[in-house]
Amino acid sequence: ESALCVFDIDGDGINEVMAVFGGASTQTVAGSGKVKPVKNTVETLTCVIWRVDEKAKKIVEIFRHTIYRKTVKDAEGLFAVHKTERLMFDFEKTPNGPPLMVVTRLLISGDGANARTERNVVKLEPENSVYKMRTIEKPPVTKPQPANEADSQAATALGTVHRIVVVKSQGVLIAYDKEGKEMKRYDVITGAVKGDKEIEGDKKTPEGEFYICVKNTASKYHLSLGMSYPNAEDAQRGLKAKRITQKEHDAIVVAIKKGGIPPWKTKLGGEIFIHGEKGDRTDTLGCIAMSNADVKELFAKTALGVKVVVKP
């Protein structure tokens, strides 16, 4: 795909020409001659800008860069890692001479509740009427660390978690080891309304069997472990009550069978997390909240796929 535009980008009275070229990686199926998208798909959009050089009486290229890049690892899998890069640019007038080019780079990693955005801005000065794109350094990504030495020692002392049980009426989360032995109990709070979750916004914490489908280090609630709600049983009840369509039901069932993230934007609701920032609150909108120190410990020892049972 491509597009061609002619306009005065920098307001100097001389039109520039901008072309955008796009495409996606493909591969040929052996022996068939047919082309299909590759699993590790890379979609790109490259922008090129030309302007008229009046002195040389010719058109010169002043800018070339990939302004959009999307990478999907294992595009057929529900645990696909999506990374999208967007580059936006503008011009800033200067007292004398050519304008500065202001480039804003956005890198979006992940989807939905697990999305994280990095933003960088650089200003480019033209060299001999050509704007040369420099490498924009990404800020270092730091892993969450325990707040103090006591937290660090506690996280080390807790072994690998193989099963989590939440008892809503008791306000407790229990972590179990591989042998089924209780490792530790944590104080938690749950939804403001009693009962099993039915629809988005009912302020109920879902009950039943789930698994950890997301680990979010960029959560606004310190750290969070996403639960696979709605599960297949929730989908069946929702279909019977005509809250969701057959297509939505089937999408949930397929996601659960593959151990992925079920659709979170249906009328059944979603984005149910075990997270921090419990503070002095007495209830949540449906999530399971605990102290920041506790969620650090649990997060470090809990892997994707760990079973979570929520009881009344």
Side-chain angles (χ1 to χ4, degrees):
E1 297 180 0
S2 61
L4 185 67
C5 304
V6 179
F7 52 95
D8 184 6
I9 297 174
D10 50 15
D12 63 355
I14 302 176
N15 283 339
E16 283 78 31
V17 178
M18 180 176 73
V20 178
F21 307 92
S25 301
T26 59
Q27 69 179 7
T28 302
V29 181
S32 69
K34 296 181 180 180
V35 174
K36 70 173 184 178
V38 295
K39 278 193 172 184
N40 292 319
T41 303
V42 178
E43 300 173 5
T44 62
L45 284 177
T46 299
C47 174
V48 184
I49 303 175
W50 297 270
R51 69 180 301 169
V52 175
D53 186 333
E54 292 184 322
K55 292 182 180 180
K57 297 188 182 303
K58 64 179 181 180
I59 296 177
V60 296
E61 181 180 307
I62 64 171
F63 181 82
R64 176 186 291 265
H65 198 73
T66 298
I67 61 172
Y68 170 86
R69 179 185 297 272
K70 180 177 181 179
T71 304
V72 181
K73 295 181 181 178
D74 187 9
E76 297 176 359
L78 291 170
F79 270 119
V81 178
H82 298 262
K83 288 188 178 180
T84 301
E85 179 183 359
R86 285 183 171 88
L87 207 65
M88 301 179 292
F89 54 91
D90 198 355
F91 287 87
E92 183 178 296
K93 289 185 177 181
T94 58
N96 299 300
L100 299 177
M101 182 180 286
V102 182
V103 183
T104 302
R105 173 183 176 275
L106 293 177
L107 179 63
I108 304 170
S109 304
D111 286 328
N114 204 33
R116 182 173 183 177
T117 302
E118 298 174 13
R119 180 175 179 270
N120 305 90
V121 179
V122 294
K123 294 184 179 181
L124 306 180
E125 296 182 0
E127 299 175 12
N128 299 322
S129 299
V130 177
Y131 294 90
K132 294 183 178 180
M133 188 66 199
R134 302 187 186 96
T135 300
I136 305 177
E137 295 184 359
K138 293 188 293 185
V141 178
T142 58
K143 295 182 179 180
Q145 299 295 328
N148 52 51
E149 186 62 27
D151 288 343
S152 180
Q153 291 175 357
T156 302
L158 188 70
T160 302
V161 175
H162 283 264
R163 185 167 176 260
I164 293 172
V165 175
V166 176
V167 185
K168 293 162 58 175
S169 60
Q170 297 179 17
V172 64
L173 182 153
I174 310 168
Y176 292 88
D177 64 13
K178 188 176 182 179
E179 284 71 37
K181 296 180 180 180
E182 181 178 320
M183 301 165 65
K184 191 168 182 178
R185 293 189 171 217
Y186 301 93
D187 292 330
V188 297
I189 56 173
T190 54
V193 179
K194 294 181 179 180
D196 193 4
K197 188 170 186 63
E198 298 176 281
I199 58 173
E200 173 70 23
D202 61 9
K203 298 183 180 180
K204 297 178 182 179
T205 297
E207 299 169 3
E209 294 189 2
F210 310 95
Y211 54 83
I212 299 300
C213 61
V214 168
K215 293 187 70 173
N216 186 8
T217 60
S219 171
K220 64 180 180 180
Y221 297 106
H222 198 61
L223 295 168
S224 60
L225 298 165
M227 291 167 44
S228 60
Y229 171 86
N231 61 22
E233 289 75 19
D234 298 317
Q236 186 59 38
R237 287 197 300 269
L239 181 63
K240 187 175 181 180
K242 297 183 178 180
R243 294 191 178 103
I244 59 174
T245 65
Q246 183 68 51
K247 184 178 180 180
E248 290 172 324
H249 166 275
D250 295 347
I252 292 170
V253 171
V254 169
I256 296 300
K257 284 183 178 179
K258 290 188 175 183
I261 306 171
W264 281 347
K265 299 300 181 183
T266 71
K267 290 183 179 179
L268 301 182
E271 298 186 349
I272 302 298
F273 286 86
I274 300 171
H275 61 65
E277 299 294 343
K278 173 176 174 284
D280 296 326
R281 292 182 298 161
T282 57
D283 54 48
T284 71
L285 296 178
C287 289
I288 299 164
M290 55 202 308
S291 73
N292 287 351
D294 286 345
V295 79
K296 282 179 183 177
E297 183 175 272
L298 186 67
F299 189 96
K301 299 298 181 178
T302 303
L304 291 173
V306 167
K307 186 176 179 180
V308 180
V309 178
V310 182
K311 301 180 179 180

